[in-house]
Structure formats: structure tokens, C-alpha cells
Amino acid sequence: MVDHLLHDLDEAQVRAVTSPARPLAILAPAGSGKTRVLTRRIAWRVATGDADASHVLALTFTRRAAGELAGRLRGLGLRGGVATGTFHAVAYAQLRAHWAGQGRAAPALLTRKAKLLSPLLAGGGGPLTVATLAGEIEWAKARLVGPDGYPEAAGAARRRTPVPAARVAELYAAYEEAKRKARMVDFDDLLRLCGHLVETDEAFAAAQRWRFQHLFVDEFQDVNPLQLRLLDAWRGPGYDLCVVGDPHQAIYGWNGADAGFLDGFRRLYPPAEVIALDGNYRSTPQILDAAADVLRRAEVGDRPLRATREGGPAVSLAAHADEAAEAAAIARAVRDRRGPRAPWSAQAVLVRTHAQVPYVTAALRRAAVPHRVRGGSAVLDDRRVRDALDLLRRSDGPLAAVLPDVDALVAEADDEAAADALAAVAQLAHDHLRLDPAAPAAGFVAWLTSTVGDEGVDERRDAVTVATFHAAKGLEWPVVHLAGLEDGLVPIAHARTAAQRREEARLLYVAMTRAEDELCCTWAAERRVGDRPVERRLTPWLAGLAGRPAAGDPADAPPGPPPDWRRHLADQRAALAEAAPGPSPALAALHDWREAHARAARVEPAALVDDRLLAAIAERRPATPDELAAVPGMGPQLAARVGDGLLAALHPADGR
Ligand code: ATP
Ligand code: MG
């Protein structure tokens, strides 16, 4: 009955999914299936009766990652029940419930520290900027360091600030005081307050620990002491905790995270078991070799990645005259790789800093390449979505009561883009309710629009992703373009200590290991820094690639076989078709559609339409929506969601 949860896992993965150990840590490199194992383990434990879905909490660090987890769990058939969220979202939901239960008004949430910090610096912060001060306060709070302890802690961590640490501590204290007077709490306070409440209020603790008895954490290398304290409070004396992570992908040290908690898991949580996975299922050996070479050169580590995939094109490296020429070349390369079987969403352009994003998007726009910036606000810009959110904002009732109205809007939407965007909002509302069944409608809107941007909302449109290295963590694309691979950006100029530089190397490693089939690296020989052009050098960590013949434009690529990605994919498919008994053309078309659609929606293909149903559709070849809805296993809801796409794939000549 549960075989389908294990049949496509390797031996170590099966052990990780089925191990009775708790607590359990799964330590493994990029692309080895950690997130797959985490979600399968949840599904497996629920399916075998070892855990009740409604008592499971899957935690991660960004809302985008939480959305990804929720999507994969839905794909495994865990539609309701399992709660997913960020530490912040869960803490906030619990606090709100507590405040409401006590009849107390919730303090306002301070979403931008700058609001309180700017007036503090107005009297002359000297060289200290609001952003730097906010960063220092966040770092201190993540490390459980108050204003009094700041100078010592900052000294020990060799934090460099443009003013003496004692002055930062003064401003930090003034910020806390201003916040208290305004009856506000910031994001870090949510974690601290929730942790404190669980530690000191037995009834509250018992209620939360009963609600979430089985805790799972993805990307555990990024946990900070503040989050760890909350996690420890939540788990209480029980030890049903499973974490997965990769110390080589720790990229939030600057923000207070500490991968030592993952490395030291066995010591922290005796009697923990630690399982390692070693296969890589995401990337070609060429990509893995190049990524491992970066870690070696930066002296981060020398861990082999066992490739399981066949070889693909070589990792390319091209130099360009300046950032504009680089961006234009990337836009051309993106266009070149687009094909009937390669949707835009199969590609991503990743950059180290937000400042590089506008060059890339401008070039993509000029080349008429649809794209989305991760963390951008495209969906919230959609008029119909704004209208729907207005409706919710004005409602003074609970979210649960107005949710059917949102679902109805999805059904009534007059075009596909609006339906997709509204469906994404509805999905987020359902996820939100699972964490906080009593959430007010207006509160959901505030949470959606002000506190977290719209990461994860705009996932369904076929578009190239543009994102920073940080925002790309945990994700994957067949083709990845990395821009600006120059000393000064990679590693970033302000990374001075050896530890900071190693973190930068891990960040490059994260970026490179996002690629499945093809990795294209570029840099600019000159770039504007401030208002003057500065000569640049290639990052020392890619020296291994530079040994090969240099490439200027992709047009004058180095000798050797061109990295013809489309042909490569076609060859792979042909090889697959040869290995397996040949699928019918109808089934192949349905598979292609499902793959493209699933990738665009970032769900597992089987989550969209499972294999058995796909085969049944291929066999019956329905011609109308009614015939399609009549295929056993289809049902009207699924038909409404994916029917048009399936019929178009089955009958391409109809021009539906
Ligand atoms: P990261 O460290 O980047 O977050 P990860 O370890 O979480 O990576 P996943 O995202 O779970 O890795 O898996 C990487 C890719 O490999 C996914 O597309 C996943 O579906 C696939 N994969 C994982 N295990 C297997 C397997 N046993 N067989 C085939 N594909 C697999
Ligand atoms: Mg992962």
C-alpha cells in the first residue's frame, strides 16, 4: 500500500524515509534528494499510521520554500492536514491565537525596521546607514544578543561596523525602547515571544505540543540560535524531530545562522541518528565537477558528489565587455535554448546581488523573453487579484468564512492568467488557514502583501526566473545562467574574513548546483561601480573553467561539440523510449504536456495527474470536456483545472 512512496528511491533514501529513529538528521549534498526524502518520510509515516497528518508540522525558512514543501506534500496526496510554514508564520499564528484567547489586542507588527530607525539616525548616524544598523540588530537578535551584550558579541564575531560597537548598542537599545512605546513587535520578537510563552506557560506549551507532535525541518543548516530555541521549546521533552540539510550550503551565517547545529546534531539531540545520502539526481557530472572544484579551491571541503546522471554539455564560461553586453548575450542564450519541449520556465538567470537584476531584466525585455523576478510583485499587480484582496481586506470576518468567495472567483475568472493568479492566492489562503484556523480575512491580506512580498504566488506563468543566488536555494532548473562571476561580486567585496569568503564560495556552490542539464557562466571585463567603470577579473574559484579555450559571445563558442541542449534532451528522450516499451504517441504527448505544466507550476508531475490516470486518458482519447471528466479517476474538479491542457495535448491539430 505504501510501495509507491518508496519505489523510486535509492537504498539510502529508503532508509532515511523508513528509519524508526527520532530524532533523525539527514545530512547530504545538493541535489541528493533531501527535500524529496523529507516529504516522503512525512507521507510514509502518515500512510503507515505512525503519524497523524493533522499533528505534523513541516518548517522551513522562507515562504517560498514553505510553499515548495506544501506543493510537494500535496503532490503526495496529503491535501489537507499537514501544516507547513516558516518559523515566523507559525510563531505569529500561535501568538495571535493566544492574544485573542486572552481578549488582548495583538501588538502591531513592525514590518520595516527603517520606520523606527530613520528617526534615530536623523540626528546624525555618521557613516552608519539604516540598512547596516537594521542588519546588526537582526544579527544580534538572531544570536539572542541584547543591546548590553552587543559590543562583546560583535567583537567576538569580528563584525565590522562603521561606528564603534558601543554606539550601535546604544541605537539598538533606543530602537527597542521606541518599539515598546509604540506597542509594536518586529519579526524577531515573534520568535522570541513565542519561545518565551511556550517555556513559561504550561497550558500554552501543552496545547502547541499536542497540535504539532511531529516536527520536520528542511534546510536545517540555516537555523539560527533564536529559531533553535523556539524549536526546542516546541518539541518539549518529546523528540519527534527530523531535520535535513547540507553544511556546504550554509549561506546565512552573516544573518546569525549557525550550521554547527546541523554538524553537531548527534550531540545536541541524543540519541539522534544521522543518515547520509550521497547520490546526486539533479545535475550532470560536468556540473557537479565544476561545483566541487569551487569548494576545493575555496578550501571549504573536498566531498565527492556521486553523479547518477549521464554526461551533458560542458559548463561554459564567457567573458563580455561590460554588464550590458553580458546581459544582452544572456538574453540571446536564453532565446536560443527555448524550444517546443523547452519552456521558458526551464531556465533561470541567477545573480549575486539585487543590483544586477535590472540589467538582466532590461535585456530580457528587449529580447521579448517572458520572465519573473523571484520576490517581485507581478501577481499582486494583477488588477483582479488586487480586487480580490480588497474584498478580503474589507471583510471583518474570519478568513474561513470568505474563502468560498475566493474559490468562486477562481472558477469565474474570465482568462487563464487571472484564474492562475487567483488560484495561487486561494492556495496560500488555504495554507494559511491550516496554520491558523481562526485567522481573520484582513489579517491574511496584510500578511500576504506587507510582510512577505509575493514570493511563491506567481508560479504558473511560463517564464524565465531571474533571482539572486540566495533566493534560488532549494530550487532547480534544466538550464541555469550565472551572471557577474567576478571578484568583487563572487566573492562579494565586503567579505573580508576567511569565514566570510568561505560562505561566499558556498553561495556560488548553491547557485551552480541549481542546474540540471546545462550551466552557463558569464562575467564582464568592466562594470560600473558607483558612477565609474572599473576593470574586473574572473572569480578565482572558476579558474578551473578558464583553462579551456575562452569564449566571447556564444556565437564564437570554443571548439568542440556545441552545447546543444535541445538535441541533448531529444537524445535523452529517444534513449528512454528505446529502454522502455514504447509509449503510444498520445501518451507521449500527454507526458510532455504534464512535464512542462508541472515544471511551470513547480509541482511533481505525478501530483498534477498521476501515471495511471494519464494512461487511462491516452487509452480512451476523450475528445470533449465531458468525455474527459468521465475517465475514471478524473472527476470534475481536476477536469476543470487541467482539462483544456490535456485535450489540447491529445488533439493538437484542433488548435484548441
Ligand atoms: P538541495 O540541497 O538543492 O535542496 P535536495 O537534496 O533537497 O537538494 P531534491 O530537491 O530533493 O534534493 O532532489 C533533487 C532532484 O533529484 C529532484 O528533482 C528530485 O525529484 C530528484 N531525485 C531525488 N532522488 C531521486 C531518485 N532516487 N531518483 C530519481 N530522481 C530523484
Ligand atoms: Mg532541498
Side-chain angles (χ1 to χ4, degrees), residues 543-635:
L545 294 181
R548 300 202 317 263
D553 247 292
D556 44 62
D564 185 345
W565 180 69
R566 256 172 282 163
R567 208 188 54 214
H568 172 66
L569 250 193
D571 288 351
Q572 269 189 349
R573 279 217 171 72
L576 267 180
E578 235 168 81
S584 71
L587 187 56
L590 290 172
H591 268 285
D592 281 351
W593 172 85
R594 184 178 73 166
E595 204 174 301
H597 202 74
R599 196 176 283 289
R602 300 212 70 78
V603 297
E604 292 207 19
L608 217 53
V609 183
D610 70 36
D611 285 348
R612 198 147 8 122
L613 181 54
L614 215 58
I617 298 168
E619 200 178 322
R620 289 196 174 203
R621 298 183 57 89
T624 66
D626 285 347
E627 287 176 24
L628 180 67
V631 177
M634 190 71 204

Side-chain angles (χ1 to χ4, degrees), residues 35 46 97 103 114 138 172 195 201 272 298 361 421 438-439 486 504-505 539 544 547 557 596 640 643 652:
T35 304
V46 169
E138 267 158 33
Y172 177 9
D201 183 330
T361 51
E486 308 140 28
E504 290 291 308
T539 172

Side-chain angles (χ1 to χ4, degrees), residues 159-173:
R159 308 277 302 176
R160 289 214 196 170
T161 45
V163 300
R167 175 69 185 138
V168 175
E170 249 172 58
L171 289 163
Y172 177 9

